[in-house]
């Protein structure tokens, strides 16, 4: 199936409306490759036909499949590594120097299949061993994503060895996981109990999330238009406690929101402190 210009334009508008993702030009191959199985399953030959079916799908199951296909991205354990080093080296020491007796709350936005929030949980546990009495069983990581399929995978906390090899060596695998069957490993309970998964479209309200000390929103803002990115970052600021930290992707920034965020140079790496 090749996408016509009209079909691609209509689909791009649909995707931006429901998810905020701006495809831009010349992404027809990405769209057709990700939707190929859905089109085949539903005996559809074009994006136009798919959109008609989505609009007529009262239960919304096809729409969910399409959103999942277009928003699900492969991720890694300890992706880019610098943010997790900064969490141990800068954020946690500064946080606990200022805050005492209150559980730590972290938001992992666009968490995909769970590698980021679990990597954060691993990092908290490791830092806590060197800083007794700081990390509490009441500390919580709220992990959100728009995709129901990846959230189901994340909640299961069970991964094939091929996935674990993307960021973890054998000692780390044995430290954080329990082998449950040939080639499959499950995150140990002491880490999974720290993470709570919720469905959330970043375009929607964050009111039900509560307040956070740290927000990880990495490698997702690049897919949004400038206006939506500014809106999301403004509303993330509203979830951060004063002095809380925002961690974005290496190629991302807070743009013109210097009145809400102070840049912190960590050498290497940059994070932002809520003003």
């Amino acid at each position: 199936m090749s996408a016509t210009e009209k079909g691609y334009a209509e689909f791009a508008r649909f995707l931006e409306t429901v998810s905020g993702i701006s495809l831009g030009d010349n992404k027809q191959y990405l769209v057709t490759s990700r939707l190929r199985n859905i089109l085949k399953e539903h005996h559809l030959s074009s994006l136009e036909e798919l959109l008609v079916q989505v609009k007529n799908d009262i239960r919304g199951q096809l729409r969910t499949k399409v959103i999942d296909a277009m928003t699900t991205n492969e991720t890694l354990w300890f992706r880019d590594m610098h943010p997790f080093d900064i969490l141990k080296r800068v954020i946690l020491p500064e946080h606990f120097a200022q805050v005492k007796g209150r559980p730590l709350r972290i938001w992992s936005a666009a968490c995909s299949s769970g590698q980021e929030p679990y990597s954060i949980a691993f990092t908290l546990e490791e830092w806590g061993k060197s800083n007794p009495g700081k990390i509490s069983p009441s500390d919580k990581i709220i992990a959100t994503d728009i995709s129901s399929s990846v959230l189901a995978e994340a909640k299961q906390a069970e991964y094939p060895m091929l996935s674990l090899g993307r960021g973890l060596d054998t000692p780390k695998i044995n430290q954080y996981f329990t082998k449950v069957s040939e080639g499959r490993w499950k995150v140990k309970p002491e880490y999974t109990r720290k993470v709570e998964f919720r469905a959330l479209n970043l375009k929607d309200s964050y009111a039900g999330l509560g307040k956070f000390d740290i927000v990880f929103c990495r490698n997702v803002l690049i897919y949004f238009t400038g206006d939506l990115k500014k809106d999301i970052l403004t509303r993330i600021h509203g979830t951060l406690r004063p002095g809380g930290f925002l961690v974005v992707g290496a190629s991302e920034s807070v743009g013109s929101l210097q009145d809400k965020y102070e840049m912190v140079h960590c050498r290497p790496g940059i994070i932002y402190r809520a003003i």
Side-chain angles (χ1 to χ4, degrees):
M1 187 273 294
S2 60
T4 65
E5 287 188 14
K6 179 184 176 184
Y8 174 74
E10 289 180 358
F11 182 81
R13 285 194 293 271
F14 160 78
L15 186 65
E16 185 169 342
T17 298
V18 299
S19 71
I21 292 177
S22 178
L23 285 172
D25 299 326
N26 303 317
K27 295 291 179 67
Q28 286 91 334
Y29 175 77
L30 171 68
V31 171
T32 54
S33 63
R34 290 200 171 196
L35 297 180
R36 185 173 289 113
N37 289 339
I38 294 176
L39 290 163
K40 183 177 180 180
E41 177 188 351
H42 292 269
H43 308 290
L44 303 171
S45 60
S46 69
L47 292 178
E48 290 97 326
E49 289 184 10
L50 175 62
L51 289 175
V52 170
Q53 291 290 331
V54 168
K55 291 173 184 176
N56 292 331
D57 178 24
I58 298 174
R59 298 173 64 186
Q61 293 178 330
L62 180 57
R63 170 177 159 154
T64 298
K65 282 184 182 180
V66 171
I67 294 173
D68 283 356
M70 292 305 304
T71 58
T72 302
N73 294 292
E74 182 179 12
T75 186
L76 308 172
W77 301 94
F78 295 101
R79 183 177 180 180
D80 302 329
M81 199 57 215
H82 286 321
F84 304 98
D85 175 64
I86 291 170
L87 180 60
K88 291 189 293 185
R89 181 168 50 86
V90 178
I91 298 177
L92 292 176
E94 182 165 329
H95 169 80
F96 285 104
Q98 302 294 326
V99 178
K100 294 177 175 61
R102 187 185 72 212
L104 177 69
R105 296 191 84 241
I106 301 175
W107 177 15
S108 170
C111 68
S112 191
S113 47
Q115 282 87 338
E116 179 175 89
Y118 289 132
S119 294
I120 294 171
F122 302 157
T123 303
L124 293 182
E125 186 76 10
E126 286 189 4
W127 187 83
K129 290 177 181 177
S130 304
N131 297 269
K134 300 292 188 182
I135 299 301
S136 162
S138 300
D139 297 337
K140 183 63 68 174
I141 301 162
I142 305 298
T144 66
D145 201 275
I146 190 176
S147 170
S148 56
S149 63
V150 297
L151 283 175
E153 181 181 342
K155 289 175 184 177
Q156 189 178 14
E158 190 177 310
Y159 300 89
M161 178 55 74
L162 182 62
S163 168
L164 299 187
R166 298 187 180 109
L168 297 172
D169 56 21
T170 299
K172 293 294 186 185
I173 292 172
N174 290 326
Q175 180 180 352
Y176 303 137
F177 296 82
T178 300
K179 188 174 182 179
V180 292
S181 64
E182 190 59 38
R184 294 195 67 82
W185 296 69
K186 190 176 182 68
V187 180
K188 291 180 177 178
E190 56 263 42
Y191 306 111
T192 59
R193 67 171 64 105
K194 282 190 175 295
V195 185
E196 176 185 331
F197 292 97
R198 301 185 192 178
L200 180 74
N201 185 334
L202 286 174
K203 291 184 65 178
D204 295 340
S205 171
Y206 308 159
L209 296 178
K211 292 290 186 178
F212 296 97
D213 302 291
I214 307 163
V215 174
F216 280 70
C217 185
R218 303 191 303 138
N219 307 307
V220 64
L221 296 172
I222 53 174
Y223 297 110
F224 300 141
T225 62
D227 287 344
L228 180 56
K229 173 183 170 182
K230 184 175 182 180
D231 174 62
I232 288 171
L233 287 170
T234 299
R235 290 188 292 121
I236 285 177
H237 180 271
T239 72
L240 279 166
R241 293 186 171 112
F245 292 96
L246 169 66
V247 182
V248 297
S251 62
E252 298 167 328
S253 73
V254 299
S256 62
L257 296 175
Q258 290 89 356
D259 60 324
K260 297 185 182 300
Y261 295 99
E262 172 191 5
M263 184 183 292
V264 180
H265 292 274
C266 299
R267 297 181 175 82
I270 291 171
I271 57 175
Y272 296 91
R273 183 187 288 112
I275 299 173

